[in-house]
Amino acid sequence: MYHLVFSADENYIKYTSVLITSIVLNTDKSKKIQDFDKNSNIKNEKYFFHILSNFISDKTREKLLNLQNDLNIIFPCEIIIHIKNDEDFKNFPISGAAHSLKLPYYRLKLSSIFNEKIEKCLYLDSDMLCICDIREVFAIDLKGRVVGVVGDPGSKKSKIKFKENNKKKTFYFDENYFNSGFLLINLEEYKKYDIERKCEELASKCYYIKAADQDLLNATIETKLRYKFDFAYNFSTIAFCYVICKDENKNRLNHTRDEFNKSIKNPKILHYGEKPWKFLKSYFDYKGNNINDYWWDVASKTPVFNEELLKSKKDITNYLLCAGLGRELFDAILKFNFLKVNFLIKNTSHDEKYIQKAKSIENDFFGICCILGNAIFYARYYKKNFFGVYFKALKIIYNFKKYHFKSRN
């Protein structure tokens, strides 16, 4: 039995259904769990897909039941819904992904939904796509550790600030900081070390926290209690554009360049930054394929939800504006055209022209344009000034030019 957990609100269920479908479709029915773990005593293999949510309508519940029935024909599976209440997380601060709802915190109380007989579960973010047989993850021996994790490719200079005994304290993260989108949890050890209580206790004391549940888990689970997975199992798609490895900067991705280059050639689970339901095109993989096409291919095969998803695909165009703005910003930075940078932020009258220009951006350059375009979107939405965009873009372009082609060798 394999227990997988996702968190999704009513609007996100259709995207979760694509991830669930990718897991089922990539299960090799010619193999048994013993092909991955010869010591396993599992006989009746079945997926249990647990969805944590704050609300799911009757209509969506019916869709999920039909999805279950259709996928069950391919491989035994069951979808189970767990409704939680934001009120149960009143002590948890508004932060990062939890800026409007407390849904991201729901994963912290995973152990409470399972009985003592279940040894491990796998939590996955809904903006992922499985392209391996997921049973190989469950076959991993965590060797008594609390959780199996994948390092986050971002900067490790973040911190949590909290008050304890009326004194201000700061917890600094290090190079072992992990991404909470992939968590293979040893439920016995998770309970033994009382991770749920520790997270809530720390959350109630925080007055500065950036990445919600992710920061709390990193602060409460000691490094020695973590099993380190290859980056391939939580392959953050921005890494197709560029990534900085630990032999280049210890505070970035906690894998060497050689280790990373093995992962980029054979990613197991893709973790999308530019969501495919918003971007029809973003990064291109080692084989030169548009990674968003992989997601849409599975979406077209997803029972029940495929028609709704494909219908929405026709209206996705904003990514072209994003890439077009990014292309203009790239050129403006290289030419030290400060007025142009400011114009891109303040003026929207030329947006249609940028959309048209985006259609001619070469594939290998499209991803960096999306990243830069998002910087313009952010500045427009939050009314940021020229300086923030300029220095951010300067850093992005520098890293792209220095590290992009290292991932292709």
Side-chain angles (χ1 to χ4, degrees):
M1 305 299 181
Y2 314 106
H3 292 269
L4 298 102
V5 186
F6 320 93
S7 52
D9 62 15
E10 177 81 2
N11 295 322
Y12 236 71
I13 289 294
K14 53 183 173 289
Y15 309 131
T16 309
S17 72
V18 177
L19 173 55
I20 289 173
T21 300
S22 73
I23 292 168
V24 173
L25 293 182
N26 279 286
T27 302
D28 187 345
K29 292 189 289 184
S30 69
K31 294 181 178 180
K32 300 292 184 183
I33 183 60
Q34 287 73 24
D35 293 304
F36 303 96
D37 177 11
K38 62 182 180 181
N39 296 317
S40 175
N41 56 8
I42 296 176
K43 295 180 179 179
N44 299 316
E45 297 187 70
K46 181 178 180 179
Y47 291 128
F48 289 90
F49 297 119
H50 301 265
I51 298 177
L52 306 176
S53 185
N54 54 354
F55 169 79
I56 297 179
S57 67
D58 290 341
K59 183 178 180 180
T60 301
R61 286 173 182 269
E62 184 179 353
K63 286 182 177 181
L64 287 171
L65 179 59
N66 292 331
L67 174 70
Q68 169 191 292
N69 293 339
D70 285 356
L71 293 178
N72 195 54
I73 296 171
I74 302 172
F75 194 87
C77 64
E78 183 177 341
I79 297 175
I80 304 168
I81 298 169
H82 304 268
I83 300 298
K84 300 288 184 179
N85 194 317
D86 273 11
E87 186 62 24
D88 296 333
F89 297 85
K90 61 184 178 181
N91 293 328
F92 292 79
I94 294 173
S95 162
H99 65 279
S100 57
L101 297 172
K102 298 295 181 72
L103 190 61
Y105 288 121
Y106 289 10
R107 77 192 74 178
L108 297 178
K109 296 192 176 183
L110 283 177
S111 60
S112 62
I113 70 174
F114 296 116
N115 62 44
E116 300 296 329
K117 296 180 181 179
I118 299 172
E119 297 178 357
K120 67 174 71 168
C121 69
L122 176 63
Y123 174 87
L124 296 174
D125 273 351
S126 291
D127 55 355
M128 288 178 152
L129 189 75
C130 179
I131 50 179
C132 69
D133 192 322
I134 204 70
R135 291 176 297 176
E136 67 184 66
V137 174
F138 283 92
I140 297 294
D141 181 3
L142 293 177
K143 303 183 186 303
R145 295 179 177 88
V146 171
V147 63
V149 296
V150 176
D152 192 271
S155 173
K156 310 303 183 298
K157 294 182 179 180
S158 189
K159 56 186 175 286
I160 287 180
K161 294 182 179 181
F162 61 99
K163 285 185 178 181
E164 194 170 70
N165 298 323
N166 292 322
K167 292 183 178 180
K168 291 184 177 181
K169 296 185 177 182
T170 303
F171 182 94
Y172 293 95
F173 299 113
D174 60 19
E175 65 272 16
N176 298 299
Y177 186 85
F178 62 85
N179 183 281
S180 64
F182 173 103
L183 301 167
L184 181 63
I185 295 178
N186 180 335
L187 290 166
E188 182 180 357
E189 296 301 306
Y190 194 83
K191 294 173 182 176
K192 173 184 172 182
Y193 285 94
D194 209 4
I195 302 302
E196 288 186 12
R197 182 193 61 78
K198 289 178 180 177
C199 284
E200 183 166 8
E201 188 175 283
L202 178 57
S204 66
K205 300 174 182 177
C206 284
Y207 64 89
Y208 174 84
I209 183 170
K210 189 174 182 180
D213 62 290
Q214 184 167 285
D215 281 356
L216 293 174
L217 287 168
N218 272 277
T220 55
I221 302 176
E222 296 178 63
T223 302
K224 66 181 181 181
L225 300 178
R226 309 170 191 171
Y227 179 95
K228 181 183 175 183
F229 272 82
D230 290 341
F231 188 61
Y233 287 98
N234 184 359
F235 196 97
S236 180
T237 55
I238 193 174
F240 284 119
C241 188
Y242 73 83
V243 71
I244 304 171
C245 299
K246 71 177 183 180
D247 40 4
E248 295 143 359
N249 183 332
K250 76 170 189 175
N251 286 317
R252 299 301 288 258
L253 181 64
N254 196 18
H255 289 279
T256 65
R257 176 61 60 177
D258 285 343
E259 289 170 339
F260 171 77
N261 284 345
K262 290 178 182 177
S263 291
I264 198 175
K265 293 175 183 177
N266 187 30
K268 307 282 189 176
I269 300 174
L270 297 178
H271 195 167
Y272 287 90
E274 279 62 38
K275 315 306 180 197
W277 50 91
K278 293 182 179 180
F279 286 73
L280 296 185
K281 184 178 178 181
S282 61
Y283 310 113
F284 286 74
D285 66 11
Y286 192 79
K287 300 174 184 176
N289 297 322
N290 175 14
I291 61 166
N292 295 46
D293 285 345
Y294 294 141
W295 191 91
W296 281 105
D297 179 59
V298 177
S300 70
K301 300 172 183 175
T302 299
V304 184
F305 292 92
N306 56 349
E307 185 176 334
E308 176 186 354
L309 288 164
L310 293 175
K311 184 179 179 181
S312 68
K313 186 179 181 181
K314 300 174 184 177
D315 300 322
I316 301 173
T317 59
N318 211 37
Y319 74 102
L320 289 172
L321 174 58
C322 182
L325 286 168
R327 170 81 251 195
E328 294 293 314
L329 179 58
F330 188 96
D331 292 341
I333 294 294
L334 292 186
K335 296 175 182 177
F336 301 101
N337 190 341
F338 306 132
L339 291 177
K340 182 61 178 291
V341 175
N342 194 58
F343 181 84
L344 292 171
I345 299 170
K346 303 293 183 182
N347 195 299
T348 61
S349 62
H350 288 62
D351 283 359
E352 185 57 38
K353 180 179 72 173
Y354 304 143
I355 290 173
Q356 295 306 316
K357 280 191 174 183
K359 296 176 182 178
S360 61
I361 297 174
E362 54 270 35
N363 291 342
D364 209 37
F365 196 60
F366 201 90
I368 188 65
C369 291
C370 289
I371 297 172
L372 292 169
N374 275 323
I376 296 292
F377 278 176
Y378 182 87
R380 286 180 173 184
Y381 186 81
Y382 290 102
K383 302 187 186 313
K384 298 293 183 179
N385 61 27
F386 154 84
F387 294 101
V389 173
Y390 177 78
F391 289 111
K392 183 176 182 178
L394 199 64
K395 184 177 181 180
I396 291 170
I397 293 170
Y398 171 81
N399 287 333
F400 173 74
K401 294 175 75 173
K402 184 174 182 179
Y403 298 106
H404 174 66
F405 290 102
K406 283 191 174 186
S407 303
R408 306 291 161 172
N409 297 326

